[in-house]
Every structure is written in C-alpha cells, then in structure tokens.
Amino acid sequence: MSELLILSTITPHMRARIDAAFTATMLADVDRASWLAEHGAAVRFILTDGHLGVPADIFAQLPNAEIISSNGVGYDGVDTAAATARGVPVCHTPNVLNQEVATSALLLYLAAMRNFEAEMANARSGRWESAGNLPLARSADKRTIGIVGLGRIGKAIAAKLAPFDPAIVYYGRSRQDVPFAYYDDLVAMARDCEALICVAPGGAATHHLINRAVIDALGPDGVLVNVGRGSVVDEAALIAALQDGRLGAAALDVFEAEPHIPEALRALPNVILTPHIGSATVETRRAMGDLAIDNLIAWKNGEKLITPVPESAGLLSRAAV
Ligand code: 8YV
C-alpha cells in the first residue's frame, strides 16, 4: 500500500519529509511492472520532475491518482492535457529558483564573453609561461543583450546584468510593462544584439525557436546563452554555425537530448558547457523540493494548491473536485 509514488530522484531531506507525511514508494526501487499491477490503484499522489513527467503507460495504471507534483519550474515533460482530462491537477516549483538560474545565466554570459574556460586552462596548463597570453577577450560591459522569454527568471537575469550597464531588449509572446525594448520579431532582435540569453520554456510552442536564421542574425561576434530548455535551440544548426564561424560563441546549460551532448559540440573551442545545473545548489534544490512536497501536503489536507500550473486552474483543491 502506497499513497505516494515517486518517479524522480529525491534528496535525503525530501525523503525525510515525505516519510513523515506519506507512505511512499520510489518506482526505481521496485519491479515496475509487477508493482504497478499490484499497487497502482492505491496511488493517490505522484511526485516527478519536469523532464520525466508521468509516462502515459504509468499514468494509465494509476486510476486513482489525484495530483501530480513536479519538482522544477519547467514542466514540458508533464502531459498536462492528459492530467486535466482526468481532473488531475499539476503543480510545479516557480519562483524559488529564479535567482539561482539567473546567476547561472550570468556566469555563462561572463565566461563566454571573457573566454574564461580557455583563460583558466592557459593558466593551469602552464601554457601561459611557455606561450604567453591568449588573444584578448571581449568586454562583458555595455552590450545589447536580448532575453528570449522574459518571465520570472528572465527578469531576474536582467536585474543581475544591470551592473554591466547593458541595453536589455526582449522577445516574447507579448509586450510587457518593463523598461526594456520589445521585439515581436526574433530575427530582428538577434540582428540588433551582441548576446542572446534564452530562458524560454520548452514544449511544442518554442521548439527550435532559435533556428539558423536567428543564429545567423546574431552573427560571427554574437554569443548565445541557453539556460531554459535544449529543445528551444536547433542544436544541429547551432553546431554548424559555430563550426563555420557564423556564430561567435555559445554557453549552454541545456541540450536537446540530455544528458547526451553531441561530440561535435563538445569538440568546439568556442562553447562553454555545463550539465543542466541552472538551479543546482543545496539551497535552491532544497527550496524546490520543499515546495514540491508542500503542494502534495496541501492537497492531502484538502487545502488549496500553492503553485499549480496555469493549465490546472479550476482544479486547485481536493474540495473542488
Ligand atoms: C531541474 C529545471 O533540471 O526547474 C527546472 O525547470 O530545469 C531544473 O531546475 C529540474 O527540473 C529539477 O528536478
């Protein structure tokens, strides 16, 4: 008997909180097929993340599931339509990771502009002593920087960039009440920018939004930073542009087929690569895990969900279904 089914990895802190409030099973710890056949009907709550979601074959074997809590702000891996069709709300973990992901974006932007990976290697390898300094890097100050997806995290990125005195511009579905210039044409914005920072959510609506035309518009001195979802950038087009010198550099935390990073991308000198660590600090992962669990506890107690996804509006508490 298990009322909570856990599909994602969890920290010891999360495990302790879960054990205090639920009887829970990690799907990775049991024989999936036989466990689901025997216990699937007893599961009321599901904990997952935005990449794993709840695969359709598993969801079908959880006929009494009441809620899906997804640990992460992005939930492109969760089939919200399938959940809504069964009256199952989905919640996620917005806001608590805004500053962390913004810091990651800032680090990647600065590292790419100032060629920091190569500079550190030049010092550590002893090459500086034998062969001298590398060619000069570009300044990170006073650049025109385009933010693709000016949501909660995008605004935090803009704030963290402020000391570098940038001209911030943005592209998104609609104009917002912000002191930055809006573009409804991404190619036109890329043409005017020296760096693009992409923090758009994944999913069909943004798939390959950053395509060859956008990359070419950013140009041979341009820098592309991506901390949103790998699916937003056409990775093959990006690799080709970096190889041909049509794009200056890229700094990427997210990839199309994680955790796979194409060999051709890893071989390029003009890229900075990190393994999807935008939110990965002790403090922020703790806050995210707490919020994911707090949503489950709220639901169990018949209280209003704290952070439901917009698609679940109308399914906000157990009392409402
Ligand atoms: C994590 C993320 O990869 O929140 C997100 O959308 O991409 C990251 O913070 C993940 O979701 C944590 O499980």
Side-chain angles (χ1 to χ4, degrees), residues 66 298-305 314-321:
E66 296 174 24
W299 183 267
K300 187 178 180 181
N301 291 343
E303 291 157 13
K304 232 176 134 180
L305 288 174
L315 301 169
L316 300 191
S317 83
R318 207 140 57 85
V321 283

Side-chain angles (χ1 to χ4, degrees), residues 207-212 215 230-240 256:
H207 186 257
H208 287 190
L209 185 64
I210 301 199
N211 56 18
R212 177 170 178 154
I215 292 167
S231 60
V232 180
V233 175
D234 181 340
E235 212 164 68
L238 173 66
I239 292 168
E256 281 205 79

